[in-house]
Amino acid sequence: MTLERTLSIIKPDGISRNLIGAVIGHFERAGLRVVAARMRRLGRPEAERFYAVHHSRPFFASLVDYMTSGPVLVQVLEGEDAVRKNRELMGATDPARAAPGTIRREWGESIERNLVHGSDSLETAREEIHFFFGAIDVCDRTDP
């Protein structure tokens, strides 16, 4: 296995329901480390750029509305096989179909309000991390 980095977003429903600590704890107990984090509110143009891959999908407008409805916590997670591990920890997009013990099964409300976003590949992770963070923003956990 390889040490990797992936992007994770705790979406507006996770923030409004005060689940930041629970979600980060879930990642940390599974061996992932937070090496960068930033709370922010996405503007419509930024959310549209970030989710541009879904532009032609019928849910695009509601996704952008939702992601701009309140603050989000964007973070970089690091660990062995981080992309795959994060995807497993999140669970299926639809919380009703997610495995027991996953973030979405435990706290997701619906397929649209599913609490978290995670990169789906290493290439996507690199692009998404760069979208939100510069190299100086990501800490090496071995730094004093």
Side-chain angles (χ1 to χ4, degrees):
M1 287 193 221
T2 307
L3 190 66
E4 297 174 350
R5 289 183 173 165
T6 189
L7 186 85
S8 169
I9 301 176
I10 301 176
K11 296 178 179 181
D13 58 318
I15 305 302
S16 67
R17 294 170 51 211
N18 203 29
L19 292 170
I20 295 170
V23 172
I24 291 175
H26 204 79
F27 293 138
E28 290 179 334
R29 283 188 299 280
L32 295 174
R33 294 173 300 282
V34 177
V35 294
R38 178 177 292 145
M39 178 88 76
R40 55 179 311 178
R41 185 179 283 271
L42 300 179
R44 180 166 289 283
E46 185 178 32
E48 288 174 347
R49 278 193 322 275
F50 185 74
Y51 285 108
V53 67
H54 299 303
H55 188 267
S56 63
R57 309 286 287 273
F59 60 81
F60 179 74
S62 64
L63 174 62
V64 170
D65 288 344
Y66 166 56
M67 292 301 291
T68 58
S69 69
V72 298
L73 181 72
V74 292
Q75 56 193 337
V76 178
L77 304 175
E78 181 181 78
E80 294 291 327
D81 208 14
V83 173
R84 182 197 54 77
K85 188 176 286 186
N86 182 39
R87 304 286 299 170
E88 286 179 4
L89 293 168
M90 289 189 310
T93 304
D94 182 352
R97 295 176 186 242
T102 61
I103 293 167
R104 289 175 171 154
R105 178 65 172 258
E106 295 297 314
W107 300 297
E109 296 177 332
S110 70
I111 197 165
E112 287 192 348
R113 293 187 169 273
N114 61 21
L115 209 80
V116 287
H117 164 90
S119 304
D120 63 5
S121 69
L122 274 175
E123 181 181 338
T124 302
R126 282 189 284 278
E127 293 169 5
E128 291 181 343
I129 290 168
H130 180 71
F131 188 90
F132 288 109
F133 297 96
I136 196 167
D137 298 319
V138 180
C139 298
D140 180 348
R141 288 295 293 260
T142 60
D143 287 346

